[in-house]
């Protein structure tokens, strides 16, 4: 006895059903208010940061990438801002996990003393 293929559904029909299911799911989630859209385009994270604690200058136990981050920091009105080196329009206030601004002093020296 040979088995015959009894599948009468074409591939095009399956693809159309999948696409319509995805569209219906997104429409239903939007209608129920489960999808959140930000009205304020300025309120999004540009990047996430973390600090590297350097306890002793002679012991360099941390790894630092030699590639540049394409971002620069500057002190504006006593707060630290991060600016993109690629897009000048992208600038954001650096905040901690509770959205408190990171303070800075504008008298930062350009030279760093190296330990002998």
């Amino acid at each position: 006895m040979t088995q015959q293929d009894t599948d009468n559904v074409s591939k095009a029909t399956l693809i159309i059903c999948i696409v319509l299911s995805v569209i219906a799911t997104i429409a239903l989630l939007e209608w129920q208010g489960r999808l959140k859209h930000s009205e304020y385009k300025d309120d999004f994270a540009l990047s996430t940061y973390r600090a590297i604690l350097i306890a002793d200058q002679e012991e360099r136990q941390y790894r630092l990438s030699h590639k540049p981050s394409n971002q620069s920091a500057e002190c504006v009105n006593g707060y630290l801002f991060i600016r993109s080196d690629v897009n000048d329009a992208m600038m954001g206030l650096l905040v901690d996990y509770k959205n408190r601004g990171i303070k800075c002093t504008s008298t930062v020296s350009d030279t760093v003393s190296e330990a002998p």
Side-chain angles (χ1 to χ4, degrees):
M1 287 193 191
T2 61
Q3 283 186 331
Q4 294 180 352
D5 189 15
T6 59
D7 189 10
N8 294 332
V9 179
S10 69
K11 290 180 184 179
T13 305
L14 285 176
I15 292 172
I16 291 171
C17 287
I18 290 171
V19 169
L20 289 176
S21 296
V22 170
I23 291 172
T25 302
I26 292 172
L28 183 65
L29 289 173
E30 180 71 33
W31 179 67
Q32 290 181 345
R34 303 279 176 131
L35 296 179
K36 302 296 181 195
H37 302 283
S38 176
E39 294 178 12
Y40 304 104
K41 299 299 179 192
D42 296 337
D43 294 341
F44 65 93
L46 298 176
S47 183
T48 52
Y49 299 94
R50 61 187 176 106
I52 298 174
L53 178 62
I54 303 172
D56 189 3
Q57 289 291 333
E58 292 182 17
E59 293 183 25
R60 297 188 182 231
Q61 298 288 332
Y62 58 92
R63 291 177 33 186
L64 188 63
S65 174
H66 295 289
K67 293 181 183 178
S69 67
N70 294 330
Q71 297 172 346
S72 301
E74 66 182 80
C75 190
V76 178
N77 295 331
Y79 288 98
L80 189 61
F81 281 80
I82 301 296
R83 178 184 299 274
S84 172
D85 294 340
V86 178
N87 184 356
D88 289 337
M90 297 289 285
M91 182 175 179
L93 174 65
L94 191 63
V95 296
D96 65 359
Y97 67 99
K98 290 187 176 182
N99 286 340
R100 298 176 293 200
I102 306 298
K103 291 187 176 189
C104 63
T105 58
S106 59
T107 59
V108 176
S109 73
D110 293 332
T111 59
V112 177
S113 62
E114 291 289 327

